[in-house]
mmCIF file of all heavy atoms in Angstrom:
data_model
loop_
_atom_site.group_PDB
_atom_site.id
_atom_site.type_symbol
_atom_site.label_atom_id
_atom_site.label_comp_id
_atom_site.label_asym_id
_atom_site.label_seq_id
_atom_site.Cartn_x
_atom_site.Cartn_y
_atom_site.Cartn_z
ATOM 1 N N VAL A 37 -9.087 15.194 11.844
ATOM 2 C CA VAL A 37 -9.354 13.841 11.361
ATOM 3 C C VAL A 37 -10.390 13.855 10.242
ATOM 4 O O VAL A 37 -10.253 13.169 9.235
ATOM 5 C CB VAL A 37 -9.809 12.932 12.522
ATOM 6 C CG1 VAL A 37 -10.336 11.614 11.996
ATOM 7 C CG2 VAL A 37 -8.647 12.696 13.465
ATOM 8 N N ASN A 38 -11.463 14.645 10.410
ATOM 9 C CA ASN A 38 -12.475 14.734 9.360
ATOM 10 C C ASN A 38 -11.851 15.179 8.043
ATOM 11 O O ASN A 38 -12.169 14.659 6.973
ATOM 12 C CB ASN A 38 -13.579 15.718 9.757
ATOM 13 C CG ASN A 38 -14.439 15.195 10.889
ATOM 14 O OD1 ASN A 38 -14.411 13.999 11.197
ATOM 15 N ND2 ASN A 38 -15.184 16.068 11.525
ATOM 16 N N ALA A 39 -10.959 16.165 8.138
ATOM 17 C CA ALA A 39 -10.285 16.637 6.930
ATOM 18 C C ALA A 39 -9.309 15.588 6.419
ATOM 19 O O ALA A 39 -9.268 15.276 5.230
ATOM 20 C CB ALA A 39 -9.553 17.940 7.222
ATOM 21 N N GLY A 40 -8.534 15.031 7.342
ATOM 22 C CA GLY A 40 -7.476 14.116 6.941
ATOM 23 C C GLY A 40 -7.961 12.850 6.285
ATOM 24 O O GLY A 40 -7.270 12.271 5.450
ATOM 25 N N SER A 41 -9.175 12.385 6.618
ATOM 26 C CA SER A 41 -9.678 11.151 6.027
ATOM 27 C C SER A 41 -9.876 11.281 4.528
ATOM 28 O O SER A 41 -9.983 10.290 3.829
ATOM 29 C CB SER A 41 -11.010 10.751 6.686
ATOM 30 O OG SER A 41 -11.998 11.722 6.401
ATOM 31 N N LYS A 42 -9.884 12.515 4.010
ATOM 32 C CA LYS A 42 -10.078 12.743 2.577
ATOM 33 C C LYS A 42 -8.870 13.394 1.911
ATOM 34 O O LYS A 42 -8.505 13.024 0.803
ATOM 35 C CB LYS A 42 -11.308 13.627 2.349
ATOM 36 C CG LYS A 42 -12.599 13.025 2.881
ATOM 37 C CD LYS A 42 -13.761 13.998 2.680
ATOM 38 C CE LYS A 42 -15.047 13.413 3.238
ATOM 39 N NZ LYS A 42 -16.185 14.369 3.085
ATOM 40 N N VAL A 43 -8.284 14.347 2.589
ATOM 41 C CA VAL A 43 -7.359 15.221 1.872
ATOM 42 C C VAL A 43 -5.987 14.637 1.632
ATOM 43 O O VAL A 43 -5.263 15.144 0.778
ATOM 44 C CB VAL A 43 -7.189 16.562 2.611
ATOM 45 C CG1 VAL A 43 -8.512 17.245 2.766
ATOM 46 C CG2 VAL A 43 -6.522 16.368 3.965
ATOM 47 N N VAL A 44 -5.583 13.601 2.344
ATOM 48 C CA VAL A 44 -4.235 13.102 2.183
ATOM 49 C C VAL A 44 -4.054 12.260 0.940
ATOM 50 O O VAL A 44 -2.938 11.949 0.567
ATOM 51 C CB VAL A 44 -3.798 12.282 3.411
ATOM 52 C CG1 VAL A 44 -3.679 13.174 4.613
ATOM 53 C CG2 VAL A 44 -4.758 11.145 3.669
ATOM 54 N N GLU A 45 -5.126 11.861 0.283
ATOM 55 C CA GLU A 45 -4.975 11.124 -0.954
ATOM 56 C C GLU A 45 -4.333 12.035 -1.989
ATOM 57 O O GLU A 45 -4.767 13.159 -2.202
ATOM 58 C CB GLU A 45 -6.337 10.615 -1.440
ATOM 59 C CG GLU A 45 -6.974 9.628 -0.461
ATOM 60 C CD GLU A 45 -8.318 9.149 -0.947
ATOM 61 O OE1 GLU A 45 -8.375 8.690 -2.100
ATOM 62 O OE2 GLU A 45 -9.281 9.247 -0.202
ATOM 63 N N ALA A 46 -3.306 11.529 -2.657
ATOM 64 C CA ALA A 46 -2.461 12.384 -3.491
ATOM 65 C C ALA A 46 -3.227 13.113 -4.576
ATOM 66 O O ALA A 46 -2.872 14.219 -4.947
ATOM 67 C CB ALA A 46 -1.350 11.546 -4.104
ATOM 68 N N ASN A 47 -4.280 12.518 -5.098
ATOM 69 C CA ASN A 47 -4.996 13.122 -6.222
ATOM 70 C C ASN A 47 -6.313 13.760 -5.800
ATOM 71 O O ASN A 47 -7.139 14.090 -6.648
ATOM 72 C CB ASN A 47 -5.258 12.064 -7.303
ATOM 73 C CG ASN A 47 -3.975 11.532 -7.886
ATOM 74 O OD1 ASN A 47 -3.053 12.296 -8.143
ATOM 75 N ND2 ASN A 47 -3.904 10.214 -8.068
ATOM 76 N N ARG A 48 -6.541 13.931 -4.524
ATOM 77 C CA ARG A 48 -7.787 14.494 -4.025
ATOM 78 C C ARG A 48 -7.565 15.947 -3.627
ATOM 79 O O ARG A 48 -6.639 16.261 -2.890
ATOM 80 C CB ARG A 48 -8.257 13.673 -2.817
ATOM 81 C CG ARG A 48 -9.505 14.175 -2.094
ATOM 82 C CD ARG A 48 -10.792 13.906 -2.839
ATOM 83 N NE ARG A 48 -11.153 12.512 -2.924
ATOM 84 C CZ ARG A 48 -11.794 11.831 -1.962
ATOM 85 N NH1 ARG A 48 -12.071 12.403 -0.804
ATOM 86 N NH2 ARG A 48 -12.143 10.590 -2.171
ATOM 87 N N ASP A 49 -8.391 16.863 -4.110
ATOM 88 C CA ASP A 49 -8.278 18.272 -3.739
ATOM 89 C C ASP A 49 -8.922 18.509 -2.381
ATOM 90 O O ASP A 49 -9.839 17.799 -1.970
ATOM 91 C CB ASP A 49 -8.970 19.161 -4.780
ATOM 92 C CG ASP A 49 -8.199 19.229 -6.081
ATOM 93 O OD1 ASP A 49 -6.971 19.025 -6.040
ATOM 94 O OD2 ASP A 49 -8.821 19.466 -7.124
ATOM 95 N N TYR A 50 -8.462 19.535 -1.710
ATOM 96 C CA TYR A 50 -9.055 19.945 -0.444
ATOM 97 C C TYR A 50 -10.330 20.731 -0.702
ATOM 98 O O TYR A 50 -10.369 21.595 -1.575
ATOM 99 C CB TYR A 50 -8.106 20.855 0.337
ATOM 100 C CG TYR A 50 -6.905 20.181 0.929
ATOM 101 C CD1 TYR A 50 -5.815 19.847 0.142
ATOM 102 C CD2 TYR A 50 -6.849 19.892 2.290
ATOM 103 C CE1 TYR A 50 -4.699 19.238 0.685
ATOM 104 C CE2 TYR A 50 -5.741 19.297 2.840
ATOM 105 C CZ TYR A 50 -4.669 18.968 2.033
ATOM 106 O OH TYR A 50 -3.568 18.366 2.577
ATOM 107 N N THR A 51 -11.361 20.466 0.084
ATOM 108 C CA THR A 51 -12.504 21.374 0.090
ATOM 109 C C THR A 51 -12.129 22.549 0.993
ATOM 110 O O THR A 51 -11.224 22.440 1.822
ATOM 111 C CB THR A 51 -13.768 20.701 0.633
ATOM 112 O OG1 THR A 51 -13.584 20.413 2.031
ATOM 113 C CG2 THR A 51 -14.082 19.413 -0.126
ATOM 114 N N GLU A 52 -12.841 23.651 0.859
ATOM 115 C CA GLU A 52 -12.499 24.808 1.679
ATOM 116 C C GLU A 52 -12.667 24.537 3.179
ATOM 117 O O GLU A 52 -11.798 24.913 3.972
ATOM 118 C CB GLU A 52 -13.317 26.024 1.254
ATOM 119 C CG GLU A 52 -12.858 27.302 1.934
ATOM 120 C CD GLU A 52 -13.461 28.544 1.313
ATOM 121 O OE1 GLU A 52 -13.170 28.818 0.145
ATOM 122 O OE2 GLU A 52 -14.255 29.223 2.006
ATOM 123 N N PRO A 53 -13.749 23.873 3.629
ATOM 124 C CA PRO A 53 -13.850 23.579 5.070
ATOM 125 C C PRO A 53 -12.704 22.705 5.565
ATOM 126 O O PRO A 53 -12.221 22.894 6.689
ATOM 127 C CB PRO A 53 -15.195 22.855 5.189
ATOM 128 C CG PRO A 53 -15.997 23.367 4.026
ATOM 129 C CD PRO A 53 -15.004 23.522 2.911
ATOM 130 N N GLU A 54 -12.255 21.744 4.741
ATOM 131 C CA GLU A 54 -11.123 20.906 5.136
ATOM 132 C C GLU A 54 -9.844 21.741 5.244
ATOM 133 O O GLU A 54 -9.059 21.593 6.184
ATOM 134 C CB GLU A 54 -10.930 19.791 4.114
ATOM 135 C CG GLU A 54 -12.030 18.750 4.141
ATOM 136 C CD GLU A 54 -12.016 17.840 2.923
ATOM 137 O OE1 GLU A 54 -11.332 18.159 1.928
ATOM 138 O OE2 GLU A 54 -12.703 16.806 2.973
ATOM 139 N N GLU A 55 -9.648 22.616 4.287
ATOM 140 C CA GLU A 55 -8.474 23.477 4.292
ATOM 141 C C GLU A 55 -8.466 24.381 5.529
ATOM 142 O O GLU A 55 -7.435 24.532 6.194
ATOM 143 C CB GLU A 55 -8.457 24.331 3.024
ATOM 144 C CG GLU A 55 -7.301 25.297 2.950
ATOM 145 C CD GLU A 55 -7.412 26.257 1.777
ATOM 146 O OE1 GLU A 55 -8.372 26.138 0.984
ATOM 147 O OE2 GLU A 55 -6.541 27.137 1.671
ATOM 148 N N VAL A 56 -9.616 24.969 5.854
ATOM 149 C CA VAL A 56 -9.699 25.867 7.007
ATOM 150 C C VAL A 56 -9.452 25.096 8.301
ATOM 151 O O VAL A 56 -8.764 25.581 9.208
ATOM 152 C CB VAL A 56 -11.062 26.583 7.035
ATOM 153 C CG1 VAL A 56 -11.248 27.353 8.344
ATOM 154 C CG2 VAL A 56 -11.183 27.540 5.846
ATOM 155 N N ALA A 57 -10.003 23.876 8.397
ATOM 156 C CA ALA A 57 -9.805 23.063 9.597
ATOM 157 C C ALA A 57 -8.331 22.746 9.801
ATOM 158 O O ALA A 57 -7.802 22.840 10.916
ATOM 159 C CB ALA A 57 -10.625 21.775 9.503
ATOM 160 N N MET A 58 -7.658 22.367 8.705
ATOM 161 C CA MET A 58 -6.233 22.079 8.806
ATOM 162 C C MET A 58 -5.468 23.347 9.186
ATOM 163 O O MET A 58 -4.576 23.341 10.037
ATOM 164 C CB MET A 58 -5.712 21.534 7.480
ATOM 165 C CG MET A 58 -4.248 21.120 7.495
ATOM 166 S SD MET A 58 -3.942 19.633 8.468
ATOM 167 C CE MET A 58 -4.559 18.374 7.331
ATOM 168 N N GLY A 59 -5.810 24.467 8.549
ATOM 169 C CA GLY A 59 -5.124 25.717 8.825
ATOM 170 C C GLY A 59 -5.291 26.181 10.255
ATOM 171 O O GLY A 59 -4.360 26.727 10.860
ATOM 172 N N HIS A 60 -6.475 25.969 10.829
ATOM 173 C CA HIS A 60 -6.716 26.356 12.217
ATOM 174 C C HIS A 60 -5.766 25.605 13.149
ATOM 175 O O HIS A 60 -5.192 26.191 14.085
ATOM 176 C CB HIS A 60 -8.161 26.080 12.603
ATOM 177 C CG HIS A 60 -8.478 26.410 14.033
ATOM 178 N ND1 HIS A 60 -8.692 27.698 14.464
ATOM 179 C CD2 HIS A 60 -8.578 25.623 15.130
ATOM 180 C CE1 HIS A 60 -8.926 27.686 15.774
ATOM 181 N NE2 HIS A 60 -8.864 26.440 16.193
#
Side-chain angles (χ1 to χ4, degrees):
V37 169
N38 290 344
S41 65
K42 300 177 181 178
V43 302
V44 293
E45 297 179 52
N47 297 318
R48 176 75 68 83
D49 288 335
Y50 288 78
T51 67
E52 188 168 295
E54 290 166 346
E55 178 188 357
V56 171
M58 183 70 76
H60 178 78

